[in-house]
Structure formats: C-alpha cells, structure tokens
C-alpha cells in the first residue's frame, strides 16, 4: 500500500490556458444552450456550431495540457478557483492536474471526432440539431465531472452526464424500446447515484469539507471503518455509472441510442467515470483495504461477465457493449489495486477510449451501409465493399484482443501483470477474460467482414462518406500506437504520479513474462476457435438453440431476470406500500397542513373588509396592544 | 441665551443631496406655474432625473470624503454611514421609479373630472396630462431622504409628512380603475393621518418624559429619569405605531393591499421600495438610538410584531387572486423578515452585522420590487393592466422572456440561492441567530417556505397552464420600462452571484453605526 504523501500539493494560482480552464466547460455548454434555444432557425448550421464548440474545447484542453507539461512534476497540480458563493463555506473551483487533463484530452479529442462523424451519421435525421445539443451538453457535463476540485462539482457533472445519456439513449423516443432503455438506464443509475450521494454525505460528515484537497489530506486521520464505508458507497456509484456488476444491466439496452452516442458515452467516456471516481478518491481507498478488495472482485467478475455476454450476442452493438463492460472491468480491477494499478487503469481507459470508439463508429458505418441492420447473421463478406471501415475496424479489433505491439497489448497486459502480482487468482481470471475476448471479438469480425454474404435482398452496402471515415482513420491510428507511447518507459506512470502517486519501484516493460506468453496463447486459441466456428464454417441465418451455457450468455447471465425477481417485483410491492402510507400518512399530514394554512388564509382574509373604519380600528387595537405589552414588559 | 436668537449653524455640504432634491422640486413647481403646457413634460423629466442623479453623486462624494461623527444642523439631522447608504439606495430606487412613472398611460388626464364623465373624455381627447407628478415625486423623495436621517422626533415628523402627503395625492391619479385609485388615496390619507397622530402623540409623551425631542438626549434620559415609566412606555409605544404603520407591520398592515392595488403601478413601485427603505431607516434610528438603552423592553414587543407580520403576510398572500395585492402581502412578509434583523441587537459587532444585513436586504428587495411592478405594468388587456392572476395563466407561452424575468424576480423574493433575495435573508437571519433570536429565525424560515408556495404557484401558472383564449397581451415596453426591468434583473443576478461589493459597502456603512 502506498502512502498518499506521494501526491503533490495543489498550487492555487495559474494563468494561461489553465486559468481559463472553465472555457472547456463553457464552450459546449453555450453550444448546447444555443442549439436548444435557437429553434429551427439554427437547423442549417446547428451541427457545425456543435462541432465548433467541441473543437474549441479541445483546443483549450490541448493548450492547458502543454502548459501542465511545462511545469516541474511537483508543480503540475493547479487549482482554478472560480467562485466563492458564501465565503469559507461553499466554494467552486476546478482542478487541472495530470489526471484530469488526461481525461479532458480524451473527452474533447474523441468527442470532437464523434461530433464530426455524427454530421454524416445523422444527416438524414430531422432532429439533428437537438442531437448535437445533447452531445454538447454531455461534453460539458463530463468535463465538469473530471475538472471539479470537489465532490459537489463532480456530482453535478455526474448527474449531467446521466441526464445527457438518458436523453440520447431515448433520442428516438418514438421507438418504445428506446424509451424503455432510456428509462432503464436512468433508474439503474439512480441506484448508483444514490450510493454516491450517501458516500458524499458521509465524506462531509467525516471531514467537514467536500474539497478534494481537504478530504484527501485528512483521509489518513479517519478510521478505516469509516473509509471502508465511504469507499463502498463510492463504489456503488461507480458500479452504476460504469455498468459494473451488479448494476450492469442498463448498458446493453443503452445501445438503442444512435451509434455515435454508444461510441462516445457508452464506450469511450461516460462509462469510465466510475474508474475516474475510484482513482481520484485513491487516498480514501488506500485507507480501506476491504473496500479495495471489493473493488477488485467487482472488476474481475464484470470483466468475465461482460466477455461471456459478448460471446453470445448477434446484435453487433450489444456484442460490443458486452466488451465495453468487460474492458471497464479490467480498469476497475486495476483501480482497486492501488497506485501500482492506477496508471494502467487510466492508460487502458484512454487506449480503450480510442479503439472502442473506433469499433463502435466502425459498427455504425456498417449499419449506415446496411439499412441500420444490426444482426451480424445478416452481414458477412463486407470487407470488399467497405475497405476503409474494414481496415480501421481490424486495427481496433487487434488492439482490443491485445495483438502484440498494438495499444491494448500494452495497457491490458499491464493490468494483467499487476493483478497477477497483487493476487494470483485475480490475475488468472483476468488472463481467462483475455482469452474470451479473443474469441468473441474474432467472432464479431468474422461474422461481419468475412464469410458468405448473407445480406437481406434490399441491402446495398457501400462505403460511408469521408466525414465518417476520417474519424475512423484517426481513431485507428490512436488504437495502433497510443499504448506503446504511454507504457514504454513508464511515460504515463511518471506523468500521472504527481496526481495519484506511484509505486516505489517503477515496473519495467518485459514482453516475455510467463503471464504475457500464456495470455497470448489463450488469445490465439480464442481466435482460432472463432475462426473454426464462424470464419471457416457457414453461419446459420437463425441462431441455433445452443447449449445451456449459450442461453445463459444470451440472457445476459440472467441479469434482468435476477433484477426483476429480486428488485423489480419486491420494489413494486414496496412502492405500492409506500404510496399507501404516503397517501394516508405523510400526504395526510402535508395536505392537512396546507389545507390548514389555506383555510386560515381564507378566514383571515375576511378581516380585510375594505372599510377604512375597521382598518383604523385594527390600528387602534394594535396600538393599545403594543403600548400595553410594552407597559407590561417594562414593568416586569 | 439672553433672549437673543442665534442663527443656527447648518452644514450645507452635508445636507446637499436633500437640498438638491427639494430645490429641484421647487423649481418643478415654478415650471408648472410659468412654463407653457407643451414644454412642461420636456422640462420635468430631465430636471427630475438630473436632480436625483446629482443627489446620488453628492451622496457618493460625501461617503468618499469620510463619514461625519457628529449630527449636523444643530443636532437635527444625522448624516452618518447608514444614512448615506440609505440615501444612495433611495435615490437609485427613485431614479428607476421615475423612469417607470414617465411611461405613458399610467396617470389620469384630469384628476378632478368625475370618472366616466364627459369632462374626462374631453381631457383625454385634448391630451391633457398631470405634469405635477414630477415635483410631487421629488417632494416625496426629499421626505424619504430626511426621514431616516432625522435625529430628533419633530424633524422626523415633518419628514414623515413631507414624504407622505405627495404620495397620498399620487395614489389617486391612476388612469384606469379610477374609483379604486381614489378610494386607495382616501384610505391611505385617513389611515396615514391617524398613524401620524400616534407618532406625534408619542413624541409629546416622550418630550414629557425626557424634556427633549433629541434622540440622543432621550436615550440619555432613560438612565437618569425615574418614576415616569408609564409616560415613557406609552410614548415609545405610540411612536412605534407611527413607524410600524409606514413599514406595514401587522397589525398595522391593512392599508397596504388596498393602497398598493389602487395606486398607479409606478407609484406602487416607488412606495414599495423607497418608502419601505426610508421607514426602516427611521425605525432603526429611533429604536436603536433614541430607545437604544431600552432594548430589553422593546425587543419582546417587536418579536411579537415581527412574528405576526411574517405570518400574516405569508399566510394571507396565499389566497390572493390579484397580482398587486399578492405583491403587497409579499411586501408585508418581507417587512417582517427585516424586523427580525431589527431585534437582533446586542454588542456593537452584532449590531453592525444586523444593520449591514438589513441594509443589504433593503437594496436587494427594493430593486427586485421595482422590477416586479415594472413587469406588472407591461401585462395588459383591454381594461388596462391585467391584475387578476387567472389572466397570467400561460404567460410563459406567449412571452417567454418576460415571464422568465418575472419568475426570476419571484424566486428572488422567495430567497432562492443565486438570487439577491437569498443573501438578504441569509445576512439578516445569520445576524439574528448570532443575536440570540433563533426562534424568530425559525418562524422566519417557516414563513419563507409558506411564501415560496405562492411565488412558485405564479411561476407554475405562467409556465404550466394553458393561456386563456382572450388573455392579456404583453405590450412592447417603452425604452424606460425595458431599462427598468433590465436593470432590476441584472441587479438581482449580480447581487445573487457576486454580492461581495455591496455586502462590503453595507458593512462599512454599518461599521460606524448611527451617530448619537
């Protein structure tokens, strides 16, 4: 366990781009407001304004990043005080440090690319302007989440991204399935948010402050029981937002949203907020080993569950969603390990942001060419007709399965190595997860791009326009080389160290450890198995019944059934009971009180007769009472 | 003295703001007498606005020069920190109110004509107008300036009358619903005269007790004169009636809804903001300076008055169906909240924080009130301003911007954070808690919650109800009205988001407390 003293202290004043870091949030917020309030007049240029705001935010983030790089490592944590609401009690400020600026770059860069992609993807949608407004709103909220220097700001951003996610999942609300999925995401997230909220309350009760600086510097003095409670509550919040077990069920349904949304919110950025929360709250978790253990268990369980779900889905987006769950499971696992894992968690988060966005946008490109068909059993042989989509998708695929020298190879294997060192059971389970990843991702690629053409007769697949392929190309470059850039020479770990601490001994990258070789072998077996089942053999048009295990995976490991039986039905009974008591008891009291006040108002009104003589009388009586009371009080 | 009368020494520089306003008022009377009809209004408006602006500049100049530590004009007028702050507040509020008053269509063409008569038709047709309004307003404003600064009870009485008499007249000059307006004027006059009599009688009794009408001497006598307590308590009580009447504290609040409703709306705005500020200044000075040594005795009585005022204002407002009456009751409730600060006396530091809280509250409330009444002037139907709340249903769908601004003012009245009202309440209640008036603050918070109901109800009405088919239309505001609404909205935002400068100013004004 690392002492938190490795973390550098925050320097309050900064100029330059850091001093105006709030612009990062302001630009997309203005964009969202302008697009929502602008009305139809802004239909023509609305999408361009949205893109412009996202890009402007990226420019500020990039400038701030280079400014951070210019400081000595010990001076790279910069506070940006914004507003003192009640002096000394309620302050609002931002914190620009290596951790938050890494997120800012990811959010604004990938966000900008997805904005651009959406110009093409949503070109036929009459509500495109509203779509861009929500996207901008999301970017603003997400940046607030990572930039806030206190838990209140974080929570506001947290709720903001939840709102944007809800609005975008249900963007095509004319489809009942989309409306239901939006509601489901909202309700499941409510559970997580409630945990986070209680966690924040507990933090305030314990430390009498919600500023990161105050809380973390005092965390060492709190009892480990309190810290464990706080850590577990924060973990509940993280599970909701990041779709970790047991709050994972909403993510698969969230794929009802437009594909760029799935790429930006439900793959690259928002769902990683839980990882951010755990890493940011590092000093709390480091004082609570039990909470850390739970975090790692949740991570491993989810990475396996997500991978298993991914193996059985025929819907290309749902298969990718299962993969997202699984990959975030890796990040959570690493985040639970402590300073040794933080850098890998965030590095994997960033590379995953690139290759998963690449994969989702690639899937979107395929759907765009296939009349919005999502069933992979009706794809096949698309590599010839969509060459750019195919090549970029292939790079993303190789990156996620951990093909040597691509991004995922460095970041995911880093997590596996650290986990192995931390706890052998967790480590081997993570290796197993990597093998399954090799299988389900290969299955996806083979079913989509290889084999026979099983298209619907009406489908005329074609390559997507340049506005959609260019973002794919740029993202695939990230998927190709970013991992090596971040991991080799511990570049990223050293960069993050002032913000989150680092292990005493920096790890050295070694491609030939036993763990690494076994992982590669398992992945290869997974790929080969997938080729045998889906590449070489013919894919049936209707999914075969399959074994018990297949059904288990297809039904999302009975997650929904479990939720329904355990929570939904008892919950419905509970709400009925609560409504009953609410109507009879609480409402009775409240309504009675309201009726009493309203009634007394009605009665007292009659005093106001409109006759000046009665007014004068009331003044006279009042004067008598006043002077009389005075006399009584004075002579006591 | 040897029978000779010495010429009084008067610090003209200190009194300059008042003298400018009174001087301009007299010039206004001369304009009425000698300038041709078609020129009058063109002279009056710049004269009025310039004199108010000039008086404001002189007030600022005084404050920058340093606050005097002695009463001026032979002890009759005290120009101290709080007085200067209150003057500045009143002058700003009067300035924006005059911009509303200047708008066309609020005032009767010929006040003497019987409502509905041929004479009235004729006056309307010939475009007659009562340009006397401007000098009347200036006299009222002059009285408002003198009232909180008067350091002896007779000057206070004179100031009270100078302030009130023009207002009685102005109340009766509404162009529409003239009978209601005239009724309001008569009621206000009768009850005002009644309460002034109490004030004067109280002054006489206190003179009988202390042998002086000077506030500082009365205070000094509190410790030395014995055996005359009945005289003292009756006198102080009657004085209190006169002052509490002006701020509309219960049980002396009955005039407020009727008068606020009947008066021309710009005049209501002036009364609801300027008069309230002036009356609170005077109340504070009389109770804290003149009766400061007696606070153990008057504070329980004022506790009762404050509670009653908050409850009556908040509860009665709930069942109002008229926007102006609702705002009147809201003003009563706010008077109660301010009284909470008045009783929070104790050590000098506590007094300072209570006083600065009250001063900030007065600024915040005054500005928002003028803004709210300015909005009321803009929502009209065939019969003039649409006061009935049912007519405001769905306003948010017809004029979203105006409804949003009004909703914002209402939220400020309710004291929602990030509006000026929040900091006003916060400052006053905080001072009251540290002054040991926690139960009073609890009542205040509960009353605020009740009050929030009727503010929010109007917001709901505006935004979530369907507009009536023949609903009122929002007139395009004249430049003056638009500027007033814009100014009030801006001030409400700024005071809610960045209150530091004004809080700081109020604090430094309150630092020296009242001179004695």
């Amino acid at each position: 366990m690392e002492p938190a003293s490795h973390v550098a202290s925050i320097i309050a004043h900064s100029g330059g781009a850091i001093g105006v870091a709030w612009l990062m949030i302001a630009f997309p917020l203005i964009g969202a407001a302008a697009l929502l309030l602008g009305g139809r007049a802004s239909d023509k240029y609305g999408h361009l304004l949205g893109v412009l705001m996202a890009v402007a935010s990226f420019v500020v983030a990039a400038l701030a990043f280079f400014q951070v790089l210019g400081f000595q490592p010990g001076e790279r944590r910069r506070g940006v005080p914004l507003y003192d609401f009640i002096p000394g009690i309620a302050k609002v400020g931002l914190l620009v440090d290596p951790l938050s600026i890494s997120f800012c770059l990811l959010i604004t860069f990938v966000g900008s690319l997805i904005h651009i992609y959406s110009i093409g993807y949503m070109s036929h949608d009459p509500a495109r302007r509203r779509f861009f407004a929500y996207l901008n709103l999301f970017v603003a909220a997400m940046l607030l989440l990572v930039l806030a220097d206190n838990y209140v700001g974080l929570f506001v951003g947290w709720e903001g991204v939840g709102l944007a996610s809800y609005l975008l999942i249900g963007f095509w609300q004319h489809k009942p399935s989309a409306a239901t999925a939006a509601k489901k995401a909202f309700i499941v997230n409510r559970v997580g948010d409630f945990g986070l909220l209680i966690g924040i309350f507990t933090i305030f009760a314990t430390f009498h402050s919600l500023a990161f600086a105050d809380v973390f510097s005092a965390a060492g003095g709190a009892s480990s029981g309190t810290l464990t409670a706080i850590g577990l509550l924060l973990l509940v919040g993280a599970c909701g937002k990041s779709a970790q077990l047991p709050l994972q069920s909403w993510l698969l349904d969230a794929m009802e949203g437009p594909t760029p949304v799935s790429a930006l919110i439900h793959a690259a950025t928002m769902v990683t907020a839980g990882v951010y929360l755990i890493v940011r709250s590092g000093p709390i978790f480091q004082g609570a080993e039990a909470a850390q253990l739970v975090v790692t268990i949740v991570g491993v369980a989810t990475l396996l569950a997500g991978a298993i779900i991914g193996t059985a889905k025929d819907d290309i987006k749902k298969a990718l969603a299962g993969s997202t769950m699984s990959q975030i499971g890796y990040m959570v696992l690493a985040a639970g390990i402590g300073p040794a894992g933080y850098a890998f968690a965030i590095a994997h988060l960033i590379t995953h942001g690139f290759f998963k966005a690449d994969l989702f946008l690639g899937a979107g490109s395929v759907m765009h060419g296939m009349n919005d068909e999502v069933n992979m059993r009706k794809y096949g042989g698309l590599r010839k007709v969509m060459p750019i989509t195919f090549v970029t998708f292939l790079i993303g695929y190789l990156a996620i399965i951990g093909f040597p020298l691509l991004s995922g190879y460095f970041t995911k294997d880093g997590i596996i190595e650290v986990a192995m060192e931390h706890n052998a059971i967790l480590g081997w389970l993570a290796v197993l997860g990597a093998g399954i990843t090799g299988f389900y991702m290969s299955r996806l690629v083979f079913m989509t791009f290889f084999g026979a053409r099983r298209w619907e007769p009406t489908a005329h697949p074609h390559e997507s326009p340049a506005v959609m392929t260019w973002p794919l190309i740029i993202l695939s470059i990230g998927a190709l080389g970013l991992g090596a850039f971040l991991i080799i020479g511990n570049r990223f770990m050293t960069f993050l160290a002032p913000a989150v601490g680092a292990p005493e001994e920096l790890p050295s990258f070694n491609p030939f450890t036993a763990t690494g070789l076994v992982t590669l072998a398992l992945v290869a077996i997974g790929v080969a198995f997938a080729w045998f089942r889906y590449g070489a053999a013919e894919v049936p048009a209707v999914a075969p019944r399959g074994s018990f295990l297949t059904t288990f995976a297809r039904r999302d490991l009975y997650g929904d059934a479990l939720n329904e039986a355990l929570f939904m039905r008892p919950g419905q009974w509970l709400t009925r009971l609560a409504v009953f008591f609410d109507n009879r008891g609480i409402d009775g009291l409240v309504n009675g009180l309201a009726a009493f006040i309203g009634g007394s108002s009605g009665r007292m009104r009659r005093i106001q007769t409109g006759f000046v003589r009665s007014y004068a009388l009331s003044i006279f009586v009042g004067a008598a009472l006043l002077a009389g009371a005075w006399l009584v009080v004075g002579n006591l | 003295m040897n029978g000779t009368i010495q010429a009084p020494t008067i610090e003209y520089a200190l009194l300059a703001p008042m003298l400018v306003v009174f001087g301009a008022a007299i010039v206004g009377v001369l304009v009425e007498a000698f300038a041709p009809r078609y020129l009058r209004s063109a002279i009056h408006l710049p004269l009025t606005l310039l004199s108010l602006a000039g008086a404001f500049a002189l007030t600022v100049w005084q404050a920058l020069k340093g606050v005097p530590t002695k009463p001026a004009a032979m002890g009759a007028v005290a120009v101290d920190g709080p007085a200067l702050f209150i003057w500045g507040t009143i002058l700003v509020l009067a300035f924006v109110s005059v911009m509303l008053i200047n708008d066309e269509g609020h005032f009767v063409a010929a006040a003497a004509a019987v409502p509905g008569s041929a004479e009235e038709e004729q006056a309307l047709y010939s475009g007659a107008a009562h340009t006397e309004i401007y000098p009347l307003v200036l006299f009222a404003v002059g009285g408002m300036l003198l009232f909180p600064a008067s350091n002896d009870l007779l000057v206070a009485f004179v100031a009270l009358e100078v302030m009130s008499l023009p207002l009685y007249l102005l109340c009766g000059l509404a162009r529409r619903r003239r009978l209601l307006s005239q009724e309001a004027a008569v009621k206000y006059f009768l009850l005002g005269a009644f309460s002034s009599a109490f004030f004067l009688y109280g002054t006489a009794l206190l003179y009988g007790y202390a042998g002086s009408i000077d506030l500082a001497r009365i205070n000094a006598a509190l410790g030395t004169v014995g055996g005359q307590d009945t005289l003292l308590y009756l006198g102080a009580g009657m004085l209190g009636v006169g002052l509490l009447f002006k701020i509309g504290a219960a049980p002396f609040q009955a005039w407020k809804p009727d008068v606020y409703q009947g008066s021309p709306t710009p005049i209501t705005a002036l009364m609801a903001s300027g008069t309230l500020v002036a009356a609170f200044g005077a109340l504070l000075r009389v109770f804290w300076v003149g009766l400061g040594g007696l606070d153990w005795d008057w504070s329980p009585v004022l506790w009762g008055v404050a509670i009653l005022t908050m409850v009556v204002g908040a509860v009665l407002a709930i069942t109002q169906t008229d926007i102006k009456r609702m705002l009147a009751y809201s003003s009563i409730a706010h008077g109660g909240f301010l009284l909470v600060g008045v009783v929070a006396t104790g050590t000098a530091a506590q007094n300072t924080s209570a006083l600065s809280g009250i001063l900030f509250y007065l600024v915040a409330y005054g500005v928002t009130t003028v803004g709210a009444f300015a909005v009321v002037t803009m929502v009209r139907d065939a019969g003039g301003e649409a006061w009935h709340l049912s007519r405001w249903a769905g306003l948010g769908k017809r004029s979203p911007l105006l409804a949003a601004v009004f909703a914002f003012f209402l939220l400020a009245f309710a004291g929602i954070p990030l509006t000026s009202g929040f900091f006003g309440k916060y400052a006053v209640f905080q001072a009251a808690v540290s002054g040991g008036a926690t139960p009073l603050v609890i009542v205040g918070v509960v009353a605020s919650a009740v009050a929030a109901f009727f503010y929010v109800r109007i917001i709901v009405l505006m935004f979530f109800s369907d507009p009536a088919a023949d609903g009122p239309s929002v007139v395009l505001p004249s430049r003056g009205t638009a500027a007033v609404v814009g100014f009030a909205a801006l001030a409400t935002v700024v005071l809610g988001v960045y209150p530091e400068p004004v809080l700081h100013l109020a604090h430094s004004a309150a630092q020296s407390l009242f001179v004695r």
Side-chain angles (χ1 to χ4, degrees):
Chain A
M1 203 175 78
E2 278 310 308
S5 58
H6 280 255
V7 175
S9 53
I10 297 170
I11 295 170
H13 297 287
S14 318
I18 297 178
V20 292
W22 53 271
L23 276 177
M24 274 190 257
I25 302 168
F27 279 130
L29 201 60
I30 293 169
L35 291 179
L36 284 177
L37 300 176
R40 295 214 180 87
S42 52
D43 269 349
K44 281 205 186 84
Y45 57 87
H47 51 287
L48 298 178
L49 181 71
V51 171
L52 183 72
M53 288 300 157
V55 172
S57 190
F58 169 68
V59 170
V60 179
L63 291 174
F65 171 69
F66 286 115
Q67 203 185 341
V68 167
L69 277 186
F71 296 124
Q72 291 300 311
E75 296 172 357
R76 283 182 181 168
R77 307 194 77 197
R78 296 289 173 154
V80 186
L82 286 186
Y83 177 44
D84 236 358
F85 181 51
I86 302 171
I89 298 181
K91 278 190 205 169
V92 182
L94 302 182
L95 171 62
V96 177
D97 71 353
L99 180 61
S100 60
I101 201 71
S102 306
F103 268 89
C104 289
L105 281 179
L106 173 73
I107 296 160
T108 54
F109 184 68
V110 176
S112 298
L113 288 179
I114 290 174
H115 272 78
I116 293 167
Y117 176 93
S118 303
I119 296 177
Y121 191 84
M122 300 298 282
S123 57
H124 305 305
D125 199 302
R128 180 165 70 167
R129 175 174 54 83
R130 189 161 55 92
F131 180 79
F132 275 88
Y134 294 160
L135 273 191
N136 266 346
L137 176 68
F138 168 77
V139 170
M142 188 71 202
L143 287 168
L144 175 62
L145 195 166
V146 297
L147 278 172
D149 73 345
N150 61 73
Y151 279 102
V152 179
L154 181 144
F155 187 74
V156 173
W158 190 273
E159 291 299 311
V161 293
L163 169 69
S165 158
Y166 167 79
L167 291 171
L168 285 165
I169 295 171
F171 186 73
W172 289 317
Q173 74 262 61
H174 51 83
K175 287 199 298 186
S177 58
T180 315
K183 263 193 263 179
K184 184 173 178 184
F186 199 80
I187 291 167
V188 176
N189 267 296
R190 226 69 305 267
V191 178
D193 295 354
F194 205 66
L196 174 62
L197 203 57
I198 299 175
I200 292 175
F201 292 160
T202 317
I203 290 173
F204 189 75
T206 314
F207 301 107
H208 306 295
S209 170
L210 288 172
F212 292 150
D214 301 340
V215 174
F216 298 153
S217 62
S223 76
S224 98
T226 315
L227 291 179
T228 306
I230 295 173
L232 290 177
L233 287 165
L234 296 183
L235 176 64
V236 173
C239 283
K241 197 60 81 196
S242 294
Q244 299 294 291
L245 287 174
L247 299 177
Q248 84 293 358
S249 61
W250 64 273
L251 183 63
L252 293 162
D253 293 342
M255 297 301 128
E256 288 289 342
T259 307
V261 171
S262 310
L264 178 62
I265 302 185
H266 304 117
T269 54
M270 183 189 84
V271 284
T272 59
V275 181
Y276 170 78
L277 179 67
I278 296 171
V279 173
R280 177 59 88 194
S281 309
I284 288 174
F285 281 96
Q286 285 158 47
E289 276 185 57
Q292 280 187 304
L293 179 67
V294 179
V295 172
T296 52
I297 292 172
V298 165
V300 167
T302 312
L303 81 85
L304 287 173
I308 292 169
I309 290 172
T311 56
K313 291 290 173 191
D314 291 334
D315 179 329
I316 186 169
K317 284 178 72 183
K318 294 208 170 172
L320 286 174
S323 150
T324 303
M325 266 174 71
S326 170
Q327 298 301 311
I328 296 171
Y330 277 103
M331 300 170 209
V332 170
L333 165 66
I337 289 171
Y342 289 158
F344 290 109
I346 304 297
H348 191 52
L349 193 157
I350 291 171
T351 55
H352 174 257
F354 277 83
F355 60 67
K356 188 51 72 62
D358 178 26
L359 290 172
F360 261 115
L361 295 186
S365 175
V366 169
M367 287 160 58
H368 198 68
M370 297 287 285
N371 294 344
D372 287 328
E373 178 63 63
V374 290
N375 189 348
M376 293 190 287
R377 293 186 187 277
K378 297 191 174 156
Y379 291 168
L382 286 171
R383 67 180 187 282
K384 293 268 171 58
V385 284
M386 304 179 130
I388 303 177
T389 305
F390 169 63
V391 172
T392 53
F393 200 93
L394 197 66
I395 294 172
Y397 154 72
L398 292 174
I400 194 174
I401 65 169
F403 192 80
L405 304 183
L406 268 71
S407 282
Y409 172 69
F410 290 98
T411 53
K412 189 163 65 175
D413 279 22
I415 292 176
I416 293 174
E417 297 279 354
V418 173
M420 194 65 85
E421 214 165 288
H422 183 72
N423 180 327
I425 301 174
L426 296 177
W428 285 116
L429 289 173
V431 171
L432 178 65
I436 305 176
T437 308
F439 171 72
Y440 73 76
M441 282 310 298
S442 311
R443 170 179 177 269
L444 195 153
V445 169
F446 295 150
M447 281 174 87
T448 305
F449 292 101
F450 293 84
R453 299 180 170 184
R454 304 178 299 275
W455 309 340
E456 292 279 347
T458 49
H460 302 288
H462 54 85
E463 185 58 277
S464 297
V467 73
M468 289 169 70
T469 48
W470 272 106
L472 287 175
I473 294 167
I474 297 172
L475 284 170
S476 64
I477 293 171
L480 209 57
L482 199 57
F485 176 78
L486 293 177
I487 299 299
I488 292 177
N490 288 316
R491 199 178 266 127
F492 193 59
M493 187 172 276
T494 344
F495 176 64
L496 273 190
V500 300
E504 294 287 345
E505 222 175 295
L506 292 182
S508 57
F509 178 71
N510 177 3
F512 300 111
T513 59
T515 323
L517 292 175
V518 172
T519 310
L520 272 183
L522 264 182
V523 170
I525 293 171
V527 174
F529 188 52
W531 173 254
F532 167 69
R533 288 284 304 274
Y534 299 98
E538 195 168 313
V539 179
V542 179
R545 238 181 109 240
S547 67
F548 159 74
L549 273 175
T550 323
T551 321
F552 184 56
R554 272 187 202 144
R555 292 279 182 85
D556 308 340
L557 315 185
Y558 294 111
D560 283 342
L562 203 70
N563 279 347
E564 270 180 34
L566 274 184
F567 300 109
M568 197 182 96
R569 282 194 207 105
Q572 282 172 340
W573 279 107
L574 200 68
T575 49
R576 267 176 226 160
L577 208 65
V579 166
F580 178 78
F581 278 111
D582 189 54
N583 284 342
R584 295 295 168 89
I586 297 172
D587 274 10
L589 188 72
V590 172
N591 291 340
L593 199 64
F596 168 73
I597 294 178
S600 16
S601 177
R603 273 188 290 282
M604 279 162 71
R605 243 181 113 172
R606 287 187 212 140
I607 303 170
Q608 193 79 13
T609 54
F611 293 121
V612 75
R613 56 174 187 263
S614 41
Y615 296 175
L617 185 66
S618 85
I619 292 178
F620 183 76
V621 172
L625 283 177
L626 200 70
W630 210 313
L631 272 174
V632 173
V633 174
N635 286 321
L636 279 180
Chain B
M1 295 250 175
N2 298 334
T4 56
I5 296 174
Q6 286 185 332
T9 51
I10 292 179
E11 292 84 342
Y12 287 102
L14 280 179
L15 307 183
M18 271 192 294
L19 297 178
V20 167
V21 173
F22 280 127
I26 290 166
V27 173
V29 173
L30 293 177
V31 168
E32 277 301 312
F34 296 112
R37 183 175 282 264
Y38 64 91
L39 266 182
R40 283 181 203 163
S41 133
I43 300 174
H44 275 308
L45 182 69
L47 177 70
T48 311
L49 289 180
L50 277 178
S51 65
L52 290 172
F56 183 76
L58 284 169
T59 308
V60 173
W61 174 67
Q62 285 289 354
L64 291 177
K65 217 172 55 162
V67 178
T69 49
K70 259 187 6 213
M74 311 278 287
V77 179
V79 185
D80 47 14
L84 285 172
F85 188 90
I86 287 172
W87 281 5
T89 310
I90 291 174
L91 287 166
V92 170
L93 294 173
F95 190 91
V96 288
S97 299
V98 167
M99 285 166 74
L100 272 188
I101 288 167
N102 179 51
D103 213 6
E104 272 181 26
H106 294 303
F107 293 95
V108 67
V114 176
S117 67
E119 207 183 341
E120 188 185 25
E121 293 270 304
Q122 175 63 32
L124 277 174
Y125 181 73
S126 67
H130 277 294
T131 44
E132 299 91 335
I133 291 162
Y134 296 97
L136 284 173
V137 166
L138 279 178
F139 275 120
V141 171
M144 288 177 198
L145 296 180
L146 182 57
F147 195 33
S150 43
N151 201 37
D152 80 38
L153 292 175
L154 270 183
V155 174
F157 179 74
V158 171
L160 178 65
E161 292 307 305
V162 171
M163 169 175 89
S164 302
L165 284 169
L167 286 177
Y168 301 149
L169 268 175
L170 289 166
C171 285
L173 294 182
R175 184 189 201 95
R176 315 261 182 174
R177 300 182 187 126
R178 286 191 54 206
L179 284 176
L180 197 66
S181 171
Q182 292 177 353
E183 182 187 331
V186 172
K187 276 181 184 168
Y188 193 21
F189 172 67
L190 286 175
L191 296 173
F194 191 45
S195 77
S196 293
F198 275 102
F199 188 91
L200 202 56
Y201 197 6
T203 306
L205 291 179
L206 279 181
Y207 181 74
Y209 168 79
S212 171
I213 47 166
D214 186 274
L215 291 178
R217 294 216 194 131
I218 293 173
N219 196 35
L222 292 177
T224 54
V225 179
Q228 306 258 32
D229 283 356
T230 311
L231 218 50
L232 168 66
Y233 294 136
L234 279 180
M238 290 188 168
L239 210 57
V241 172
L243 291 163
L244 291 171
F245 173 85
K246 275 292 155 199
I247 64 167
F252 316 109
Q253 89 295 355
W255 61 275
K256 239 184 185 181
D258 292 12
V259 174
Y260 277 23
Q261 184 190 25
S263 307
T265 307
I267 298 300
T268 313
L270 178 66
M271 282 195 292
S273 55
T275 310
L276 190 82
V277 176
F280 255 101
L283 180 85
L284 280 166
R285 191 179 293 283
V286 168
F287 276 81
W288 284 20
V289 177
L291 304 169
L294 208 62
D295 58 350
W296 278 107
D297 294 331
W298 55 254
S299 87
V301 179
L302 280 195
W303 268 58
V305 173
I307 291 174
L308 194 63
T309 307
M310 290 187 284
V311 170
V312 165
V315 169
L316 272 173
I318 289 180
T319 40
Q320 297 307 315
T321 51
D322 181 294
I323 189 85
K324 283 173 85 179
R325 291 184 80 86
M326 195 285 286
L327 287 172
Y329 279 106
S330 142
S331 150
I332 293 170
H334 281 279
F337 299 143
L338 280 157
L339 279 176
V340 171
V342 176
V343 300
T345 52
T347 63
Q350 275 169 5
N351 287 354
T352 302
S353 80
L355 181 56
S356 70
I358 293 174
L359 292 178
F360 182 85
Y361 199 129
L362 287 171
V363 175
Y365 176 73
V367 172
T368 310
T369 302
V370 176
F373 279 111
V375 173
V376 172
T377 65
M378 286 160 61
V379 181
R380 296 185 197 172
D381 56 17
E385 291 165 12
W387 294 341
H388 200 273
L389 283 182
S390 64
R391 310 290 288 163
W392 285 60
L395 192 71
K397 290 179 182 144
R398 297 198 167 170
S399 343
L401 183 65
L402 188 79
V405 170
F406 193 65
F408 184 64
F409 289 147
L410 291 173
L411 291 177
F413 285 142
I416 304 294
L418 295 182
T419 64
S420 59
F422 171 76
F423 278 108
K425 277 205 182 104
Y426 181 78
V428 168
F429 286 174
Q430 194 197 31
V433 167
S434 69
T438 312
L440 208 48
V441 172
I442 293 173
V443 176
V445 170
V446 172
S448 303
V450 175
F453 168 77
F454 59 79
Y455 295 129
V456 173
R457 195 179 60 144
I458 295 182
I459 298 178
V460 171
L461 193 69
M462 287 194 301
F463 286 97
F464 301 103
S465 305
D466 287 323
D470 59 339
S473 56
V474 171
V475 294
L476 268 184
S478 72
R479 252 179 290 171
T481 309
V484 172
V485 174
F487 167 79
L490 187 72
T492 308
V493 174
V494 170
L495 291 179
V497 176
Y498 187 53
E500 238 98 306
V502 178
L503 272 178
H504 185 75
L505 195 65
H507 192 77
S508 55
Q511 196 70 52
S512 59
L513 289 174
F514 296 104
V515 299
R516 284 164 195 275

